[in-house]
Amino acid sequence: DAKTTQPTSMDCAEGRAANLPCNHSTISGNEYVYWYRQIHSQGPQYIIHGLKNNETNEMASLIITEDRKSSTLILPHATLRDTAVYYCIVRPSNSGAGSYQLTFGKGTKLSVIP
Amino acid sequence: NAGVMQNPRHLVRRRGQEARLRCSPMKGHSHVYWYRQLPEEGLKFMVYLQKENIIDESGMPKERFSAEFPKEGPSILRIQQVVRGDSAAYFCASSPSGSGANVLTFGAGSRLTVL
């Protein structure tokens, strides 16, 4: 069973920020929040991950609420190439079945519109 | 620094034939994972291997499917006597360790079509 809940689809205008929400109300203290995306017919691409603090890299920012029950992935300036399915995944920090049996739910299909 | 390399990218087999999919992990990665994605579905875990060892094959069908990661060479996912239901995209991922703090890097996938 997926441990995260995401909207099925979202639209975003090209050049604007895309904010993708994720609920993970049952997350444990030792579990990371990971984001991957899958552009049509390609392999999943790692975007970002975080434990408690907000994170930023060259691709995106990850905002995690203080209670860690939800998070938002932010693509600051969406382009047409960002059109993809975005997966929010909760993953234990230790080694074990939960750390490598990543549960890819339905994800959010983001469409960036010109 | 090459990423995870999978081949072939596309494979067509007739029912009853064998399919062999290969995966070379990223340099420095000794942990390999195989996932399957059926049409219009999400990725599902199949098997986790380290060099010469199968750590977890709980997601792999009990019959016809096998995986190996020899001391030398790529990891191999083998499907014997393929059926139409095996048509899917098979993705390999690798990581430097099994810790959840380490990112799994995925390859581009191998797409199997069974006629």
Side-chain angles (χ1 to χ4, degrees):
Chain A
D1 293 334
K3 299 173 69 173
T4 63
T5 304
Q6 300 177 251
T8 302
S9 63
M10 294 180 64
D11 291 341
C12 177
E14 187 178 17
R16 303 296 295 268
N19 296 279
L20 291 89
C22 179
N23 285 320
H24 31 79
S25 59
T26 60
I27 193 170
S28 300
N30 71 337
E31 290 181 318
Y32 284 93
V33 178
Y34 271 78
W35 284 84
Y36 280 82
R37 73 180 181 184
Q38 188 173 24
I39 298 170
H40 183 61
S41 297
Q42 298 182 22
Q45 179 187 21
Y46 165 77
I47 301 173
I48 199 168
H49 73 286
L51 188 61
K52 295 180 181 179
N53 300 321
N54 298 336
E55 302 288 344
T56 295
N57 62 21
E58 64 279 3
M59 288 184 68
S61 294
L62 174 61
I63 308 298
I64 302 174
T65 58
E66 192 169 342
D67 63 8
R68 303 187 68 240
K69 292 184 177 182
S70 65
S71 60
T72 301
L73 177 74
I74 301 173
L75 307 179
H77 305 286
T79 70
L80 299 179
R81 287 174 294 181
D82 292 322
T83 293
V85 178
Y86 287 75
Y87 297 98
C88 171
I89 298 168
V90 168
R91 184 184 177 202
S93 58
N94 57 342
S95 300
S99 72
Y100 51 80
Q101 292 188 19
L102 302 184
T103 301
F104 287 83
K106 299 286 188 184
T108 296
K109 186 172 184 178
L110 175 69
S111 298
V112 180
I113 301 168
Chain B
N1 184 15
V4 177
M5 304 301 292
Q6 291 189 246
N7 68 81
R9 292 293 310 279
H10 300 275
L11 183 64
V12 179
R13 286 288 179 265
R14 296 191 181 280
R15 282 179 296 170
Q17 291 184 320
E18 178 180 287
R20 286 196 180 211
L21 310 177
R22 289 176 291 278
C23 170
S24 296
M26 285 185 69
K27 188 176 181 179
H29 288 192
S30 58
H31 297 246
V32 166
Y33 318 81
W34 285 92
Y35 281 73
R36 177 167 68 173
Q37 186 171 32
L38 296 171
E40 306 303 321
E41 294 188 13
L43 281 80
K44 303 292 184 187
F45 168 80
M46 297 182 74
V47 61
Y48 165 36
L49 310 101
Q50 296 177 28
K51 283 285 187 181
E52 300 184 278
N53 286 304
I54 296 175
I55 307 303
D56 184 343
E57 56 183 347
S58 61
M60 202 150 68
K62 295 290 185 282
E63 297 180 353
R64 303 187 297 107
F65 284 72
S66 62
E68 62 176 9
F69 188 17
K71 185 177 181 180
E72 302 290 339
S75 174
I76 306 286
L77 179 67
R78 181 183 179 200
I79 311 172
Q80 295 178 288
Q81 300 176 329
V82 296
V83 301
R84 289 213 174 110
D86 297 332
S87 295
Y90 293 82
F91 293 99
C92 171
S94 72
S95 69
S97 82
S99 166
N102 284 281
V103 173
L104 266 65
T105 302
F106 285 83
S110 291
R111 279 152 188 83
L112 172 66
T113 301
V114 180
L115 301 178

